[in-house]
Structure formats: structure tokens, C-alpha cells
Amino acid sequence: SPCGPIIHGLEDVLIKNTSISDIDGDKGILWYRGYRIEDLAQHSTYEEVSYLILYGKLPTKKDFEDYVSRLRKNRDLRPETIEVIRNLAKAHPMFALEAAVAAEGAYDEDNHKLAEALRLGRYKAEEKELAYKIAEKLVAKMPTIVAYHYRLSRNLDIVKPREDLSHSANFLYMMFGKEPDPLAVRGIDLYLMLHADHEVPASTFTAHVVASTLSDLYSAVAAAVAALKGPLHGGANEMAVRSYLEIGDPSKARDVVEAATKPGGPKLMGVGHRVYKAYDPRAKIFREFSKNYVAKFGDPKNLYAIASAIEHEVLNHPYFQQRRLYPNVDFWSGIAFYYMGVPYEYFTPIFAVSRVVGWVAHILEYWENNRIFRPRACYVGPHDLQYVPIEQR
Ligand code: CMC
């Protein structure tokens, strides 16, 4: 570029120091606050992982109980927000989620108090306490927004949250109105743990950009939801399962993979990653979970069989090998959801239900040393053109 190098897509550009999560893209390793995700996936829960991400350390028993009880008390939504969801009941749930997060923030006094303090340059103990309080509200309320939308989209009465159920069990309960199957709860909880943070992908970067203007926490999260919606980012989990449904039969995998290697051909959804140049460690865990899930409940739509066949082709095709493209988290994550009865439009919203904690943790981290994001573009058009009145053009 005439003005200097352009970093297309900000590849490898560093925006800050962080101690929230770390990715080793060559080896395929992901840590949250220093803990390997395999360890957390095996031993922890979303409630504990969200605490870890937000507060930086694993909770003591007492801190954990208090945190969980605050989350459970904060689950329900304002009537205004429920109306917003009702009005968007026929829209894709990601639109409803964007709007409902903004609506919830519009009427939250804590949100306005914090935004005002930040505007006045105050971000001390009192304001941080407020920020954490809002963060917890967001973590608590996101599943409710998604579940209420599901109910209203199907002309069903909403099911109010239950304080005696865990984050994941309550989410499934609010969606389907009955006590969920323990393996389904484990599947959702695993999904929520594995999506809780991932350094600074497009949605988290968007959250930083909005938060850096000192807009407000809810608006930053609403913007992050908007970025997550895209098929190149969080929307890939929906697209992957939709493509398996369209493909219908594992014997077609070879042709589908071949088509994706042609110039201008459709990209394979759930394959490739900006940072991982190895098998995505989250995808490995989901591959295993999906395998166990279909072993127990069957694979009537061949989703697992098709995904396995595509994976086999991808791993053995020179196009994908040369470019170091492997299945990513979205490749496997939707299969069990689909068989649990979660419609595919709700896969990306559930990603947001999890990632909200990463978004807010990053915003709070950035506010410790805030500076507005304001990059430059290199102008390559003409200058000083003569204005011509409309009749003379
Ligand atoms: N299918 C076919 N070719 C691909 C794919 C794919 N899924 N992904 C990348 N490529 C090719 C791409 O065409 C390019 O080829 P060439 O060098 O010949 O031009 C090369 O690989 C490098 O790709 P890129 O587009 O420069 O990579 P990027 O870092 O800009 O994009 C990505 C990363 C994840 C957006 C991309 O791999 C992609 O579109 N994948 C499919 C969508 C997807 O699964 N997204 C979820 C990402 S992980 C979870 C999340 O973030 O939400």
C-alpha cells in the first residue's frame, strides 16, 4: 500500500497483554488462566470455569457457593426485555439476542452508573465492583434470553428459571420445560466450558472496540453478539450441521471436500482457523463426546458418520494438508445438540451464552488501561475534485 504495509484482517497484530486465555496454534493447546482446557473439561463445570475466567483464579468453596447463588438469583429478565424477545420471536435468535442484550442494558441502573463513572475517568474499587456485578448479570441472563426466544418462537409459554438447577441443567429446563437428561446436561456444560474464552477473535475484538469508546458493557456485548453471528465465526456451527443434513450420506463426503478445494468453491464449514495450524483441541473433545452421544442415542440423520467421512477426506487431502487446515470446534459441536432436539438456529446463540464471560472479562481487563481504538486506512482515491451542480452532471 502507498502508505505502508496493511495487515489484512489484522493477522498477528497484538492489541494488548492478557492473562485470560492463551492459544498455542502450532501445537493445538488452549489454556484458560493457565489451566489446560482438557483438565477443566474433565473436572470442572461452566459455573466454575466462568468464575475462573472472570476472577482469574479457581474459587474457594465459599466463594463458589456465593457466586453460584448470585448467578441463580440473577437469571430472570426485565419485562421490557421479554417484550423485545416476543416481538422478534419469528426472527433468527441471534437478532433477538443482540436486541435483548441491548434492552436489558438500557434499563439497568448499574450499567448507567458505571458508564457515567467511566466517562468521568473513575475506574476504582467501587466501579470495578459494579463492573463485576454487571458481568455476573450478563452471564446469568444470556441462557434465559435464548431459552425464552425458543419458547416464544414456537408459541409456547416461557418457562421461568429454577434456582435449584445448575447453569446448564436450568438452560435445558427453560428450553424444553422438563428435567433434562444428564448426558444432555453434560453435553451443554462441556460446550459452555470449551467456548468460554478464546483470546481475541472478531467478536471479542468488537467488544474491545465498543468498550474502548466507553459506551457501556451491555452495548459492547450486543456488538460482540453481532460479530459472532457471521458464518466465518460463531455461525459456523449452525452451517456445519446444516451442510451435513444437506449432504445426507457419508459416501458424498469426497465430492463435497473436493468442491471446497476449487478456486471460488464453497468453504467447508467447521474447517480452518486463523490461529490453530493443528487440530483444534476443543474439536478433539467434541469429537469424542459426539461419538459417545451417538453410541447411546443413535445417529439417525448420519450426522456423525458424515462428519467423520468429511474429516477423513480433509486430513488426507493435500489441499488441506498444505494449508494446515484442520477441523475446528464448530465441526463437531452441533451434532449432539441436534440430537438433543436443539434446532440449529440455536447453536450460535449457545456459543454466545458461553462466550459472554470471555467478552466481559476482556473488557474489564482492557479498562484497566483503556485507550480508544482508532486505526487508520490508506486513502487511494482522488483529491480536490471540482464540485459539479447536479443539472450539469
Ligand atoms: N474450506 C476450504 N478452504 C479453506 C477453508 C475452508 N474451510 N478455510 C481456509 N481455506 C483456505 C483459503 O481459501 C485460503 O486458501 P488460499 O491460500 O489458496 O487462498 C487458505 O485456506 C487460508 O485461508 P484464509 O481464508 O486466509 O484464512 P483466515 O485466517 O482468513 O480465515 C477462517 C480463517 C476460520 C475464517 C477460515 O478458515 C474459514 O472460513 N473457515 C470456515 C468457517 C469456519 O469454520 N469458521 C469457524 C472458525 S473457528 C470458531 C470461531 O471462531 O467461531
Side-chain angles (χ1 to χ4, degrees):
S1 161
C3 324
I6 285 173
I7 320 275
H8 199 192
L10 300 184
E11 180 163 1
D12 290 333
V13 170
L14 302 171
I15 62 160
K16 65 170 188 178
N17 290 328
T18 185
S19 51
I20 302 173
S21 61
D22 190 23
I23 306 169
D24 183 328
D26 282 320
K27 296 206 182 88
I29 308 176
L30 171 61
W31 296 263
Y32 293 162
R33 301 282 191 188
Y35 295 93
R36 290 278 282 253
I37 50 141
E38 291 83 0
D39 248 8
L40 295 169
Q42 194 182 342
H43 301 294
S44 192
T45 59
Y46 180 73
E47 278 153 324
E48 191 179 55
V49 164
S50 63
Y51 183 100
L52 172 68
I53 288 190
L54 208 46
Y55 292 100
K57 56 182 193 305
L58 286 170
T60 61
K61 200 158 187 296
K62 169 81 172 67
D63 287 345
F64 185 58
E65 281 164 9
D66 292 348
Y67 173 70
V68 166
S69 124
R70 289 196 301 275
L71 284 187
R72 291 178 187 201
K73 286 193 174 58
N74 265 318
R75 282 174 177 164
D76 212 352
L77 309 174
R78 286 161 206 284
E80 296 90 344
T81 309
I82 300 177
E83 280 318 298
V84 167
I85 301 170
R86 197 186 301 283
N87 284 323
L88 295 174
K90 298 294 170 208
H92 191 286
M94 286 302 274
F95 284 105
L97 192 54
E98 286 172 38
V101 169
E104 199 59 37
Y107 294 111
D108 184 347
E109 277 311 313
D110 291 336
N111 189 36
H112 297 300
K113 231 165 111 183
L114 175 61
E116 179 62 4
L118 281 160
R119 187 179 69 79
L120 298 171
R122 260 199 339 260
Y123 190 59
K124 301 225 168 67
E126 198 184 317
E127 288 75 29
K128 286 179 195 173
E129 207 173 291
L130 213 48
Y132 279 103
K133 191 174 162 204
I134 298 170
E136 290 183 3
K137 287 195 239 189
L138 276 159
V139 171
K141 289 177 199 307
M142 292 286 276
T144 317
I145 298 174
V146 176
Y148 283 5
H149 185 272
Y150 170 79
R151 302 290 299 180
L152 294 169
S153 70
R154 276 141 180 91
N155 291 316
L156 299 166
D157 288 336
I158 57 175
V159 176
K160 289 279 175 181
R162 248 175 59 183
E163 282 188 28
D164 61 320
L165 294 175
S166 75
H167 198 72
S168 297
N170 174 64
F171 174 58
L172 283 171
Y173 169 72
M174 290 189 297
M175 281 204 54
F176 299 122
K178 55 176 203 268
E179 294 267 340
D181 174 78
L183 194 58
V185 175
R186 167 72 183 149
I188 295 279
D189 211 51
L190 195 58
Y191 182 93
L192 296 184
M193 281 192 274
L194 293 178
H195 285 74
D197 195 49
H198 210 228
E199 205 221 41
V200 284
S203 58
T204 312
F205 180 56
T206 303
H208 281 90
V209 173
V210 176
S212 82
T213 71
L214 303 184
S215 177
D216 68 271
L217 251 180
Y218 288 84
S219 297
V221 169
V225 171
L228 187 72
K229 177 170 153 287
L232 297 186
H233 190 6
N237 55 10
E238 170 178 343
M239 292 306 160
V241 164
R242 287 173 68 168
S243 75
Y244 308 154
L245 288 166
E246 257 167 51
I247 294 164
D249 192 293
S251 66
K252 297 198 187 130
R254 177 161 294 177
D255 291 346
V256 171
V257 171
E258 199 54 48
T261 66
K262 299 284 173 275
K267 275 185 170 175
L268 280 182
M269 287 290 130
V271 172
H273 200 277
R274 175 65 66 79
V275 184
Y276 290 120
K277 302 300 166 200
Y279 207 104
D280 181 333
R282 304 165 300 171
K284 264 189 211 161
I285 298 174
F286 272 115
R287 181 173 59 184
E288 192 60 24
F289 183 80
S290 314
K291 189 172 149 201
N292 296 336
Y293 199 88
V294 301
K296 182 166 177 199
F297 294 105
D299 190 16
K301 296 269 186 187
N302 282 328
L303 301 182
Y304 182 79
I306 292 165
S308 302
I310 296 175
E311 175 183 80
H312 179 81
E313 297 299 330
V314 164
L315 296 180
N316 289 295
H317 199 297
Y319 173 94
F320 294 93
Q321 289 170 340
Q322 279 153 15
R323 292 170 178 74
R324 299 173 79 196
L325 302 169
Y326 292 86
N328 61 51
V329 67
D330 294 320
F331 190 83
W332 293 105
S333 65
I335 296 175
F337 283 175
Y338 184 87
Y339 288 133
M340 282 173 208
V342 177
Y344 49 63
E345 312 87 78
Y346 289 87
F347 297 176
T348 315
I350 301 174
F351 189 154
V353 162
S354 167
R355 185 58 58 84
V356 65
V357 75
W359 292 331
V360 291
H362 275 282
I363 293 169
L364 303 198
E365 187 179 66
Y366 193 73
W367 275 346
E368 292 290 335
N369 185 18
N370 188 60
R371 193 174 190 210
I372 191 168
F373 280 93
R374 205 311 181 186
R376 297 297 307 271
C378 183
Y379 180 73
V380 292
H383 286 114
D384 301 331
L385 296 180
Q386 194 73 44
Y387 180 82
V388 182
I390 196 160
E391 317 68 60
Q392 292 166 32
R393 284 177 220 156

